[in-house]
Amino acid sequence: TSSRICERGADVAVCGGTHGNELSGVYLVRELLKAKDIVMEEEREEPASVLMVLANPRAMQQCRRYVDTDLNRCFTHATLNGPISDSAPYEMTRSRELNAMLGPKGSPGAVDLVCDLHNTTANMGLCLILSLACLFQRQMPDVPMRFIHFDVSSKESYSLDSVGKHGFAMEIGPQPHGVVRSNIYTAMKDGVQHMLDWVRLFNSGTIFEAGFVDVFTIVKNIDYPRDSETHNITATIHPQLQDRDFLLLHPDDALFQTFSGETLRYKGNEPLYPFFVNECAYYEKGIALSLARKNTVAYHNMAFKVHS
Amino acid sequence: TSSRICERGADVAVCGGTHGNELSGVYLVRELLKAKDIVMEEEREEPASVLMVLANPRAMQQCRRYVDTDLNRCFTHATLNGPISDSAPYEMTRSRELNAMLGPKGSPGAVDLVCDLHNTTANMGLCLILSLACLFQRQMPDVPMRFIHFDVSSKESYSLDSVGKHGFAMEIGPQPHGVVRSNIYTAMKDGVQHMLDWVRLFNSGTIFEAGFVDVFTIVKNIDYPRDSETHNITATIHPQLQDRDFLLLHPDDALFQTFSGETLRYKGNEPLYPFFVNECAYYEKGIALSLARKNTVAYHNMAFKVHS
């Protein structure tokens, strides 16, 4: 892998509203679009260009995650390049527009770095979700930052950030979908500014110190207990687990509380780190929480290398 | 006003899912329906009957507040009894079904007491929202309970709970819409149990001690600052106000933080109590928060009398 994003300055895309009810990204990208003239002035010193994108305007208008289907699952090569009918879901059409704008995925013309902004109802703080080994190691002064790694070596990545040569999702919570909270909005604004500062330093030839960082690598998802006939959930996250993302879950710890008041316990035999605990949008995906192993990752300038 | 709900035991209706994405009520009513056989056994000693209602099943299925229009605004006499076409919004039809089931509104056949279950993203704890002077004064042991009063003397009440002879909304938060949190679910379960216990005692002739209680009476709503052209919001609740429902807001206190980082202050000249601070569903209604005066209310058995 190259140790620079590209030889000239990197092109960066910052995307909000990929899920139309995750409002921090929606309002941040709108704000950055308004302030773009000012940003451009400052940028004259630096060769990087920053593209601001509102990814799913129809879903934003309705304040829903999506109109027809989850846009952030529409960026496989098959979906982007397969046959498409006039009656295709809106997001299937929109993903092709975005691929034309930021990609084409896998091509030399693709934007160097895509930063896709998301919110979660889970108490996850600021997380970078990476499917590629990349990115900035300087910790932010005020907000602890965590790295999550989905190992997609076996299957192709389907998310918007996979359209760029490099990409990641910035995921911040807790914030209810359809609401914008000042503290979460500000953390995202600082996170994006931090990322842009890093790119600027990188492009100007700065060599960052090597070091180590913790990365949470997903092991598995756990669904809510459900009624076998209706498929309705019969329990929710236990109060002892709620809001405790990234705090170790041990075998026999409380996992769910049924609606009749019973406690169900974690039956795994390995302590793991929970995250996306009680994320709103994952009820329909059958995910009550995800579990991760914590790995230490050595980085040297840009290149990450995962060893567990 | 009568000092008893009615001469025989009161009929009570507990409604959930009036807003399809407020999940504590949805799952609590489902749970109570499952447990109904057991409840019925216990009830043989008492004359009260309890009716469990899932008010907006279509919205529940889609996990949205409503399908076509807000059901909880469809219970005026005009809406319930006016002409209706085949292409009427779903909720206009559904409100008539519910009126037939629990009302008719204003008639002697109406159910004695309607308890309608709601969630809010605001940090409001457990609140009873009353448009009629009524109800139970025994404080719950674990959960502080607040009373909110909307003075609708000038206009007719439009909410589902107005279909009963008496009615109130039980509003609990913070909980993101589309999510069920164990602590909020349990508070609602305890609140409903407390209400049913009170009705049972009341029906068996118990005279409750007279006393005083604080009631928050709405004074006005405040909208988010908005762009005059796009009507998009340009600020959200200030971090110093977020989650501080029912804590006095003084003139010149921080009210909003704009997306560019500016603080906007409360320009009223009277300290008032904020509530429904940053409620998700009220973005579209143009309400960032509501403000109330706190009144002390004397109660004597059932009857409340408001004096400010």
Side-chain angles (χ1 to χ4, degrees):
Chain A
T1 55
S2 73
S3 66
R4 296 213 41 179
I5 296 178
C6 67
E7 293 312 309
R8 64 190 167 86
D11 293 318
V12 180
V14 178
C15 305
T18 303
H19 295 134
N21 59 0
E22 300 179 10
L23 296 191
S24 293
V26 170
Y27 288 109
L28 180 56
V29 168
R30 279 185 179 152
E31 185 63 27
L32 294 174
L33 282 168
K34 274 204 289 185
K36 206 175 180 182
D37 294 342
I38 304 158
V39 174
M40 285 302 173
E41 286 293 322
E42 289 172 7
E43 271 175 4
R44 281 190 191 150
E45 304 162 35
E46 311 290 344
S49 75
V50 182
L51 190 63
M52 307 294 173
V53 180
L54 290 168
N56 195 338
R58 278 203 206 167
M60 281 164 48
Q61 204 189 358
Q62 297 180 32
C63 199
R64 295 168 65 182
R65 182 175 178 88
Y66 54 79
V67 177
D68 294 321
T69 190
D70 192 335
L71 176 61
N72 210 29
R73 303 293 181 272
C74 290
F75 293 91
T76 59
H77 283 283
T79 307
L80 291 172
N81 302 309
I84 188 166
S85 77
D86 286 350
S87 61
Y90 165 67
E91 280 82 3
M92 296 267 287
T93 312
R94 183 61 182 155
S95 66
R96 285 164 193 243
E97 294 172 8
L98 291 163
N99 189 45
M101 195 186 300
L102 307 176
K105 176 170 174 168
S107 78
V111 72
D112 296 298
L113 178 62
V114 172
C115 166
D116 192 28
L117 304 175
H118 289 267
N119 289 120
T120 173
T121 60
N123 185 24
M124 284 170 61
L126 190 156
C127 296
L128 304 188
I129 304 180
L130 319 161
S131 53
L132 279 175
C134 86
L135 260 205
F136 44 101
Q137 292 82 40
R138 290 192 313 158
Q139 294 299 300
M140 292 171 65
D142 299 330
V143 185
M145 193 191 290
R146 292 192 186 89
F147 296 86
I148 300 173
H149 179 248
F150 283 77
D151 188 356
V152 289
S153 54
S154 55
K155 30 180 190 178
E156 193 196 343
S157 63
Y158 45 60
S159 54
L160 172 56
D161 57 69
S162 73
V163 169
K165 291 201 189 75
H166 303 265
F168 65 96
M170 185 179 290
E171 183 78 64
I172 314 193
Q175 179 175 274
H177 300 326
V179 165
V180 54
R181 290 176 60 98
S182 270
N183 60 333
I184 301 295
Y185 173 86
T186 301
M188 185 176 276
K189 194 176 186 177
D190 293 349
V192 168
Q193 192 56 59
H194 180 77
M195 182 270 295
L196 293 175
D197 290 348
W198 185 91
V199 170
R200 196 166 299 164
L201 287 171
F202 182 82
N203 283 340
S204 65
T206 305
I207 303 295
F208 300 100
E209 270 180 47
F212 295 90
V213 70
D214 288 335
V215 172
F216 294 90
T217 302
I218 188 166
V219 174
K220 60 180 170 182
N221 299 318
I222 297 183
D223 192 10
Y224 298 91
R226 292 181 188 266
D227 183 282
S228 55
E229 280 177 36
T230 63
H231 206 61
N232 289 332
I233 66 171
T234 56
T236 190
I237 296 295
H238 197 279
Q240 286 169 24
L241 175 59
Q242 180 70 52
D243 302 328
R244 293 174 63 84
D245 301 67
F246 298 110
L247 297 174
L248 210 48
L249 182 74
H250 290 93
D252 227 39
D253 279 355
L255 187 62
F256 296 111
Q257 191 170 57
T258 69
F259 294 129
S260 56
E262 196 190 344
T263 295
L264 306 178
R265 294 183 177 279
Y266 171 51
K267 289 301 168 202
N269 45 27
E270 177 191 7
L272 291 169
Y273 292 88
F275 66 104
F276 278 128
V277 175
N278 215 353
E279 156 54 33
C280 177
Y282 291 175
Y283 280 64
E284 67 175 30
K285 297 190 196 294
I287 302 174
L289 69 157
S290 300
L291 290 171
R293 260 182 222 113
K294 188 162 76 174
N295 298 314
T296 301
V297 170
Y299 60 83
H300 171 64
N301 203 11
M302 265 299 284
F304 271 173
K305 192 166 180 307
V306 177
H307 41 190
S308 52
Chain B
T1 56
S2 72
S3 68
R4 298 217 34 184
I5 296 179
C6 68
E7 292 312 310
R8 64 191 168 84
D11 292 320
V12 180
V14 178
C15 305
T18 303
H19 295 134
N21 58 0
E22 299 180 11
L23 296 191
S24 294
V26 169
Y27 288 109
L28 181 56
V29 169
R30 279 184 178 152
E31 185 63 26
L32 294 173
L33 282 167
K34 275 204 288 185
K36 205 173 180 182
D37 295 341
I38 304 158
V39 174
M40 285 303 174
E41 286 293 321
E42 287 172 6
E43 272 176 5
R44 280 191 190 151
E45 303 162 34
E46 310 290 345
S49 74
V50 182
L51 190 62
M52 308 292 173
V53 181
L54 289 169
N56 195 336
R58 278 202 207 167
M60 281 165 49
Q61 203 188 357
Q62 298 180 30
C63 199
R64 295 168 65 181
R65 182 174 178 88
Y66 54 78
V67 177
D68 294 321
T69 191
D70 192 335
L71 176 62
N72 209 31
R73 303 293 181 273
C74 290
F75 293 92
T76 59
H77 282 284
T79 308
L80 291 172
N81 302 310
I84 189 167
S85 77
D86 286 349
S87 61
Y90 165 67
E91 280 82 3
M92 295 268 287
T93 313
R94 183 60 183 156
S95 66
R96 285 164 194 242
E97 293 173 8
L98 291 163
N99 190 45
M101 196 186 301
L102 306 177
K105 177 171 173 167
S107 79
V111 72
D112 296 300
L113 179 62
V114 172
C115 166
D116 192 28
L117 305 175
H118 289 267
N119 289 119
T120 173
T121 59
N123 186 24
M124 284 171 61
L126 191 157
C127 296
L128 304 188
I129 304 180
L130 319 161
S131 53
L132 279 174
C134 86
L135 259 203
F136 45 101
Q137 291 81 40
R138 290 192 312 156
Q139 294 300 300
M140 291 169 65
D142 299 328
V143 185
M145 192 191 291
R146 292 192 185 89
F147 296 87
I148 300 173
H149 179 248
F150 283 77
D151 189 355
V152 288
S153 53
S154 54
K155 29 181 191 180
E156 192 196 344
S157 63
Y158 46 60
S159 55
L160 171 55
D161 56 70
S162 73
V163 169
K165 292 200 188 76
H166 304 264
F168 66 96
M170 185 178 291
E171 183 79 63
I172 315 193
Q175 180 175 273
H177 300 325
V179 165
V180 55
R181 290 176 60 99
S182 271
N183 60 332
I184 301 295
Y185 173 87
T186 302
M188 185 176 274
K189 195 176 186 177
D190 292 349
V192 168
Q193 191 57 59
H194 180 77
M195 182 270 295
L196 293 175
D197 290 347
W198 185 91
V199 170
R200 196 166 298 164
L201 287 171
F202 182 83
N203 282 340
S204 65
T206 305
I207 303 294
F208 300 100
E209 269 180 47
F212 294 90
V213 71
D214 288 333
V215 173
F216 294 89
T217 302
I218 188 166
V219 174
K220 61 179 169 185
N221 298 318
I222 297 183
D223 193 10
Y224 298 90
R226 292 181 188 267
D227 183 280
S228 55
E229 280 176 35
T230 64
H231 206 61
N232 288 332
I233 65 171
T234 56
T236 190
I237 296 294
H238 196 280
Q240 287 170 24
L241 175 58
Q242 180 69 52
D243 302 327
R244 293 173 64 83
D245 301 67
F246 299 110
L247 297 175
L248 210 48
L249 182 74
H250 291 91
D252 226 39
D253 278 355
L255 188 61
F256 296 111
Q257 191 171 57
T258 70
F259 294 129
S260 56
E262 195 190 345
T263 294
L264 306 179
R265 295 184 176 279
Y266 171 53
K267 289 301 169 203
N269 46 25
E270 178 191 5
L272 291 170
Y273 292 88
F275 67 104
F276 277 127
V277 176
N278 216 354
E279 157 55 32
C280 176
Y282 292 175
Y283 280 64
E284 68 175 30
K285 297 189 197 294
I287 302 174
L289 69 157
S290 299
L291 290 171
R293 261 183 221 112
K294 189 161 78 172
N295 298 313
T296 300
V297 170
Y299 60 83
H300 173 65
N301 204 11
M302 268 298 285
F304 270 175
K305 192 167 178 306
V306 178
H307 42 189
S308 53

